[in-house]
Amino acid sequence: MDEKKIMLSGIKPSGDLTLGSYLGAIRNWAARAEEFDCYYFMADMHAITVRQDPAALRRRTLAQLAQYIACGLDPEKNTLFIQSHVHQHAELGWVLNCYAMFGELSRMTQFKDKSQKNADNINGGLFTYPCLMAADILLYQPDFVPVGEDQKQHVELTRNIVQRFNGIYGEVFKMPEPYIPKVGARIMSLTNPAAKMSKSENDDTGRVTLMDAPEVIMKQFKRAVTDSDTERCVRYDPEHKPGVANLMTIYSVITGKSYAEIEREFDGLGYGKFKPAVGEVVIDLLRPIQEQTRRILEDKAYLESVYRAGAEKASRVAEKTLRKVYRKVGFVAAK
Ligand code: TYM
């Protein structure tokens, strides 16, 4: 009997994975395979809420799977799958649409933000996206959902849906908890520290992707925005020095050093020494991940075997929940 707690999360292949995706999410997944029964997926169905180039979406979905594995998610120990391969997501998503309120969906920050940025394509999927995300989560009855800060609101909406649904039908869904890292939950753009580092939005200078070449990474960090005060010292002050604070967060998560230790390390050295030092630790962190990703991507048969096995396992679990939900809401059993 498997009594492990369950952990689940996903990432949209809407752009190449960034340092933000890694530090805010994936890094916290890999360490937990022994302790939890883990499900991680490529949220390709979520990606199409914004127009995608089909070939690029396919390429990024497979690259993302290779990167999950390269980042330490062993497919033998974690269930890795592509969301659209498990049809129960769309099916439960529909049901949950009927248990989420227009008002609460309208309050989602991400919806407001994305509709502003995609004014010519404010589609229904963008609006009901959190219902699909709730389905992703609830199909697997996870205890924890590791996400960055920006997804917390969606997990909270999922919790509201659980309360509403269970209130009507009894204990159908387990109440999930968001699991948000203390440091690194919101990595900001290197050129605009007021916006998060995004896979698909801000300009390329603000992000570092997991596959960027070392020279590119170094260039991005050297031109990262710091601040214009005259002291030019490395001090953790997110309010007045958000660019420096962001770089310190990146350095801290990767090296495990506290902000006080980092301040001491760069005392009197200024940004000219600090910025390339952050670039260096990022390059060292990503080098083995990049090499492994390239190796895995060459082995198409292996990748295929991973996502097939993942979808099969995920489907089995998801089907159990879906059947229960269908029965509870009053659908006639098909067999
Ligand atoms: P997505 O694809 O935008 O981001 C994937 C994960 O990475 C985190 N993240 C960050 N963390 C710190 N700093 C950043 N700059 C940064 N950028 C991204 C996100 O918080 C997220 O954890 N809707 C989700 C995908 C999803 C999902 C799910 C997640 C679909 N279904 C079910 C959990 C459970 C999304 O768009 O994440």
Side-chain angles (χ1 to χ4, degrees), residues 28-146:
N28 302 300
W29 305 353
R32 298 192 161 74
E34 304 294 341
E35 212 182 323
F36 293 92
D37 190 7
C38 298
Y39 295 82
Y40 300 116
F41 60 97
M42 282 39 79
D44 54 349
M45 293 166 69
H46 279 92
I48 63 162
T49 52
V50 170
R51 226 37 105 221
Q52 301 291 332
D53 170 57
L57 179 60
R58 248 187 297 276
R59 175 190 65 74
R60 284 196 305 259
T61 304
L62 293 174
Q64 195 171 303
L65 174 59
Q67 286 172 323
Y68 280 5
I69 302 169
C71 287
L73 299 178
D74 178 351
E76 300 290 323
K77 296 185 178 157
N78 301 271
T79 306
L80 308 179
F81 65 97
I82 297 173
Q83 184 187 26
S84 61
H85 290 183
V86 182
H87 59 82
Q88 290 85 352
H89 289 245
E91 292 173 64
L92 182 62
W94 170 254
V95 174
L96 298 185
N97 260 301
C98 305
Y99 294 83
M101 298 299 137
F102 182 84
E104 58 193 356
L105 291 171
S106 313
R107 284 194 291 278
M108 294 294 110
T109 325
Q110 186 169 303
F111 170 68
K112 290 192 231 168
D113 185 49
K114 292 235 180 261
S115 15
Q116 228 171 32
K117 289 177 179 142
N118 301 282
D120 56 343
N121 184 23
I122 308 178
N123 59 70
L126 202 57
F127 186 65
T128 59
Y129 174 117
C131 301
L132 181 59
M133 179 156 161
D136 300 337
I137 297 173
L138 299 178
L139 280 172
Y140 304 92
Q141 309 276 17
D143 298 276
F144 297 108
V145 182

Side-chain angles (χ1 to χ4, degrees), residues 142-195:
D143 298 276
F144 297 108
V145 182
V147 286
E149 193 70 49
D150 61 318
Q151 293 299 323
K152 189 171 169 215
Q153 202 185 25
H154 291 156
V155 181
E156 272 159 9
L157 177 62
T158 304
R159 290 169 59 85
N160 291 346
I161 294 177
V162 169
Q163 209 163 31
R164 189 169 296 135
F165 199 94
N166 286 358
I168 306 171
Y169 303 105
E171 289 298 300
V172 178
F173 296 126
K174 186 186 273 180
M175 187 61 87
E177 294 282 343
Y179 184 92
I180 297 173
K182 287 198 179 64
V183 186
R186 190 176 278 267
I187 301 296
M188 310 312 276
S189 154
L190 298 180
T191 43
N192 174 15

Side-chain angles (χ1 to χ4, degrees), residues 78-335:
N78 301 271
T79 306
L80 308 179
F81 65 97
I82 297 173
Q83 184 187 26
S84 61
H85 290 183
V86 182
H87 59 82
Q88 290 85 352
H89 289 245
E91 292 173 64
L92 182 62
W94 170 254
V95 174
L96 298 185
N97 260 301
C98 305
Y99 294 83
M101 298 299 137
F102 182 84
E104 58 193 356
L105 291 171
S106 313
R107 284 194 291 278
M108 294 294 110
T109 325
Q110 186 169 303
F111 170 68
K112 290 192 231 168
D113 185 49
K114 292 235 180 261
S115 15
Q116 228 171 32
K117 289 177 179 142
N118 301 282
D120 56 343
N121 184 23
I122 308 178
N123 59 70
L126 202 57
F127 186 65
T128 59
Y129 174 117
C131 301
L132 181 59
M133 179 156 161
D136 300 337
I137 297 173
L138 299 178
L139 280 172
Y140 304 92
Q141 309 276 17
D143 298 276
F144 297 108
V145 182
V147 286
E149 193 70 49
D150 61 318
Q151 293 299 323
K152 189 171 169 215
Q153 202 185 25
H154 291 156
V155 181
E156 272 159 9
L157 177 62
T158 304
R159 290 169 59 85
N160 291 346
I161 294 177
V162 169
Q163 209 163 31
R164 189 169 296 135
F165 199 94
N166 286 358
I168 306 171
Y169 303 105
E171 289 298 300
V172 178
F173 296 126
K174 186 186 273 180
M175 187 61 87
E177 294 282 343
Y179 184 92
I180 297 173
K182 287 198 179 64
V183 186
R186 190 176 278 267
I187 301 296
M188 310 312 276
S189 154
L190 298 180
T191 43
N192 174 15
K196 76 160 190 171
M197 182 185 285
S198 157
K199 291 189 288 294
S200 52
E201 277 161 20
N202 26 308
D203 58 339
D204 288 344
T205 54
R207 73 175 141 246
V208 166
T209 77
L210 296 193
M211 298 308 283
D212 278 342
E215 328 61 272
V216 176
I217 298 175
M218 190 49 89
K219 196 165 87 198
Q220 303 289 67
F221 278 98
K222 282 190 175 162
R223 66 180 179 200
V225 167
T226 43
D227 55 62
S228 50
D229 68 1
T230 44
E231 68 170 13
R232 302 192 65 72
C233 88
V234 176
R235 188 160 50 75
Y236 189 72
D237 180 353
E239 194 182 331
H240 300 105
K241 294 155 79 91
V244 175
N246 187 40
L247 293 173
M248 288 180 79
T249 297
I250 294 171
Y251 195 75
S252 168
V253 182
I254 297 175
T255 61
K257 293 177 185 166
S258 68
Y259 293 131
E261 282 172 304
I262 301 170
E263 285 171 1
R264 275 198 299 280
E265 184 178 348
F266 292 95
D267 186 27
L269 295 179
Y271 303 147
K273 284 274 188 299
F274 178 54
K275 292 203 282 185
V278 184
E280 265 324 313
V281 295
V282 171
I283 291 168
D284 288 345
L285 168 81
L286 296 184
R287 188 174 292 116
I289 295 176
Q290 298 186 344
E291 283 166 9
Q292 247 232 296
T293 301
R294 282 189 209 101
R295 263 201 304 274
I296 296 169
L297 275 174
E298 275 169 23
D299 194 346
K300 295 269 179 300
Y302 170 69
L303 268 184
E304 198 178 308
S305 71
V306 169
Y307 67 66
R308 284 209 176 152
E312 214 172 284
K313 158 112 194 270
S315 263
R316 263 200 312 275
V317 178
E319 183 61 20
K320 266 198 202 152
T321 310
L322 187 69
R323 275 176 190 255
K324 187 166 181 192
V325 168
Y326 275 11
R327 185 157 41 79
K328 291 283 184 183
V329 301
F331 294 166
V332 174
K335 53 181 172 191

